[in-house]
Amino acid sequence: MLLLADPQTLSATDTVSRRSTLLLTPSVATIPVGGSPLGVTLTPDGGRAYVANQSSDDISVIDTATNTVTVTIAAPGGPRLLSFSPDGTRAYVTLFDTGSVGVIDTATNVLTTTIPVGAGAVQCALTPDGTRAYVTCQTAGVVSVIDTTTNSVTTPITGLSLPTGAAVSPDGARVYVPNAGDGTVAVIDTATNTVSASILTGDVPILVALTPDGTRAYVSVAGENAVKVIDTATNTVTAAIPVGNGPRMVAMSPDGTAVYVADLSANTVTVIDTATNTAVDSIPVGNSPIGVAVSPDASRLYVTNSADNTVSVIALTLMPGQGSTAGGTIVTIRGHNLAAATAVHFGGAAATILSNTATSVTVRTPPGSGAVPVTVTTPGGTGGFGTFVYRPAPLLSGISTTSNPYGGAGPAMGPVTGGGTAVITGVNLSGATAVRFGSRQAVIQSVTDTAITVTVPSASSPGPVPVTVVTPGGTAGGLTFTYVAGPTVSGVVPTTGRTAGGTDVTLTGTGLATTHQVTFDGVFAPFTVVSDTTVTAIAPPHTSADNITITVTTLGGTTSWSGFSYQDPTI
C-alpha cells in the first residue's frame, strides 16, 4: 500500500509582506515516487532531487521548488545510490543487480551508458575534480575506479570485505570505504589506488560522510545502532554516538554542524550535533527510511521511505524544533538575508538573539507552552519560520526489564556486559534524545509520551548506577539500574547421584543470589538460593553417565560446571 500526501509549498506572500526579502522554506511534504526508493541526491544547485527506486528499476526526478516528480528515468538493474559530477551535468547511479554504473545526462534526463564495475555495485563517489569515480562492489569485494572521461574501469582495488559506502576527502587524496563484512573502514590512497589503512569501527559499518574540512568521518554502524566518528588525521575512532535502530545513510550539513542519520527500523532521522557529537533530535519520518540528503542551502532534508514509496521533505529552518517550557533552548534559524535581524519571536514572546549571519540566526528561547509560530524581523519585513513546540519537563516513575525469569515485569537489574531490553516509564517523555545508565548512553528503541524502550549498555563494574533521560523539555533522573556480576561455580557436593534423581546437591561459588535456572545436561532442576555463594538443587532423573554439565543462570549471566555423575549402587 502506498501512503500518499499532497505536496505542500509555502508562498512568501502568505506570511511575509511583499517588500520582504526573507527566504522561506517549504513546510513538510510527502512525495510519491517509484518502488522501494533507496538513495536520494540533490543537484549541486539544489534545483532537483534524484531518487533511485530499486524495485521499479527507475529514477524519480523531483523539482524541489514544487515538490513534484517531473521525470521518471528508466534504470534497469536495481538502482541503489546516486552521485553527481561536480558541474552537475552527469548523474551516476549504481545498478546492484547488474554490477554496473549508469551515467545520466542531466540536461536530457536520459541514461546514456552503463559501465560494468563488479557484482553488487552500491555507492559511487567522485573526486572533487570529477575525473574519477570510486565504486563499491559489495558482492565482488572490490572498489572499481572509473575514468569519467572514457567511462571505463581503470583499477580494481581488491582485498575488501563487503564494501558498501564510499566518501572522497575534500582534497581528493583519500577514499573512505566501510566494510560491512569485517567491521572496518578502509582508507584508499588515490595516488596509488591502494589501501593505506584499515580502521576497526564495529559491527557492520555501512555508509560514511565527511565533514567539509575532511577532519572527521561519520560512519553508520548498523550492528551497534550507532554512528562512529573517525579522526582522519590519526585514523582512530574518537566517539560512538547511539542513534535509532538500523542506521543507514548518513548526510552532512553543508556547514558541517549537523549530521542526519536515517534509522531504518525506528522510522526516524537522528540529528547529531558535530560540536558535541551527541544526538540532539529525532525526526519522525515514513516507514523504513534509508536515504537522506541535505539541500545546498541547508534549509531542507530529503528522506526516502523505502516501505512507503515516498520521499519526505523536512524543513530545517528550526533546529531543534522543540525545547523546554522554561525556555533557554539554543535554536538556530536558517534562511537568507538574516544578517540584519532585529527581533525573533516565539509566539508573542521575544527570544534573545545570540548571533546571526546572512543565512542563520541563533537565539535563546523565551519561556512558553504548546506549539507557537516563530518569526524573524529584519528591515525587509517579518517572515514566518515554522513552529516551535514547548515540551514540559519529563518525570520518571519506574524502570524494569522486559524479560523477567520470575514472571511479569523484571527488576531493574542486568549483567555488566549489557544487552537486553529495559522499559523506562513516566510522563512527558516524547522526543527523548538520550538515555544514560551512569555515564553510558543506551540505544533508544522506541519512545512514547509515557514509556521509553532501550537496549541496556554495558558497565565497567557491577553495582547500581543512576538512570537519566534527556528530552527537549529537560533532563529527569531518580531511577537506578543495578549491574550484576557474572556467576561462578567452584564446587559441587556430592558429585554423584542416582539415575532416578532426587539427590540433594549443593553448589558453591559467587554471584549466585539472582539464580533463576539450574539444569543438569539441559534438564531443569528444582533449586533454592541460600546465599550469594550457595545454591541447593535436586538432581533430576538421568541415565547412567559421567561428566554431566550443571548450568546455573542468573541475572548476571550463565556459568557451567562439569563432573557430576549418575550412578546406581551395585549389589
Side-chain angles (χ1 to χ4, degrees):
M1 178 184 293
L2 295 180
L3 299 180
L4 305 180
D6 293 331
Q8 303 174 40
T9 56
L10 183 63
S11 167
T13 56
D14 290 340
T15 55
V16 185
S17 75
R18 294 183 183 274
R19 64 188 178 89
S20 173
T21 57
L22 298 180
L23 174 67
L24 299 182
T25 55
S27 58
V28 175
T30 304
I31 308 170
V33 291
S36 304
L38 300 181
V40 55
T41 307
L42 276 77
T43 53
D45 64 3
R48 288 172 290 172
Y50 284 62
V51 182
N53 304 307
Q54 175 192 5
S55 64
S56 58
D57 277 340
D58 56 29
I59 294 167
S60 299
V61 181
I62 296 171
D63 182 331
T64 59
T66 62
N67 284 331
T68 56
V69 174
T70 57
V71 178
T72 299
I73 306 169
R80 288 299 198 270
L81 303 177
L82 300 114
S83 57
F84 286 97
S85 60
D87 61 7
T89 60
R90 298 179 308 280
Y92 295 82
V93 57
T94 51
L95 304 171
F96 185 91
D97 299 341
T98 58
S100 59
V101 169
V103 183
I104 298 168
D105 182 334
T106 58
T108 60
N109 280 325
V110 172
L111 193 151
T112 59
T113 189
T114 57
I115 308 166
V117 290
V122 178
Q123 188 165 31
C124 178
L126 276 80
T127 53
D129 61 7
T131 61
R132 285 175 291 172
Y134 287 77
V135 186
T136 54
C137 304
Q138 189 176 80
T139 308
V142 303
V143 169
S144 293
V145 185
I146 297 174
D147 180 334
T148 60
T149 60
T150 62
N151 284 336
S152 60
V153 174
T154 61
T155 308
I157 302 169
T158 60
L160 302 168
S161 180
L162 299 180
T164 304
V168 181
S169 61
D171 61 4
R174 300 173 306 281
V175 184
Y176 294 83
V177 177
N179 291 297
D182 64 9
T184 66
V185 169
V187 183
I188 296 172
D189 183 334
T190 59
T192 60
N193 281 333
T194 58
V195 176
S196 60
S198 182
I199 308 165
L200 185 64
T201 53
D203 188 19
V204 194
I206 299 185
L207 296 165
V208 58
L210 294 169
T211 53
D213 60 6
T215 60
R216 285 173 290 169
Y218 287 75
V219 184
S220 59
V221 182
E224 300 179 16
N225 295 324
V227 166
K228 299 293 182 71
V229 185
I230 295 173
D231 181 329
T232 59
T234 61
N235 285 335
T236 57
V237 173
T238 58
I241 308 166
V243 295
N245 281 6
R248 289 302 189 265
M249 201 155 191
V250 183
M252 182 72 60
S253 65
D255 61 3
T257 60
V259 172
Y260 303 91
V261 185
D263 305 319
L264 176 69
S265 302
N267 300 328
T268 58
V269 171
T270 296
V271 184
I272 294 172
D273 180 344
T274 60
T276 60
N277 280 334
T278 58
V280 295
D281 207 352
S282 180
I283 305 172
V285 289
N287 290 301
S288 302
I290 290 180
V292 286
V294 186
S295 63
D297 64 359
S299 66
R300 285 157 291 160
L301 184 70
Y302 293 78
V303 184
T304 59
N305 305 305
S306 62
D308 296 342
N309 301 331
T310 62
V311 170
S312 294
V313 185
I314 299 165
L316 297 177
T317 47
L318 295 175
M319 190 58 63
Q322 49 190 341
S324 170
T325 55
T329 302
I330 306 300
V331 175
T332 298
I333 303 165
R334 291 188 173 91
H336 284 282
N337 302 311
L338 302 177
T342 57
V344 176
H345 284 85
F346 285 62
T352 301
I353 297 176
L354 301 176
S355 65
N356 63 312
T357 68
T359 57
S360 69
V361 181
T362 300
V363 301
R364 180 181 293 111
T365 61
S369 62
V372 298
V374 178
T375 59
V376 177
T377 300
T378 74
T382 297
F385 285 80
T387 300
F388 183 85
V389 179
Y390 282 100
R391 299 285 188 185
L395 180 65
L396 307 183
S397 58
I399 178 173
S400 63
T401 57
T402 59
S403 177
N404 179 13
Y406 308 110
M413 304 173 72
V416 292
T417 54
T421 301
V423 176
I424 300 163
T425 55
V427 293
N428 304 325
L429 304 180
S430 293
T433 56
V435 176
R436 297 188 181 94
F437 285 58
S439 61
R440 303 195 177 188
Q441 285 207 162
V443 174
I444 296 175
Q445 298 179 13
S446 64
V447 179
T448 69
D449 197 55
T450 58
I452 305 173
T453 302
V454 301
T455 301
V456 179
S458 62
S460 59
S461 60
V465 297
V467 176
T468 56
V469 173
V470 180
T471 76
T475 300
L479 300 179
T480 299
F481 185 89
T482 301
Y483 284 98
V484 181
T488 66
V489 172
S490 56
V492 173
V493 177
T495 59
T496 303
R498 292 177 178 269
T499 59
T503 302
D504 291 326
V505 179
T506 299
L507 313 175
T508 55
T510 61
L512 303 179
T514 61
T515 297
H516 58 82
Q517 180 177 289
V518 177
T519 62
F520 284 61
D521 257 7
V523 179
F524 292 104
F527 68 91
T528 300
V529 175
V530 177
S531 68
D532 194 54
T533 59
T534 305
V535 170
T536 59
I538 301 174
H542 196 288
T543 57
S544 180
D546 294 326
N547 294 320
I548 294 298
T549 298
I550 301 174
T551 301
V552 177
T553 303
T554 74
L555 291 180
T558 299
T559 188
S560 296
W561 187 90
S562 297
F564 188 82
S565 298
Y566 277 93
Q567 298 176 1
D568 288 327
T570 57
I571 298 175

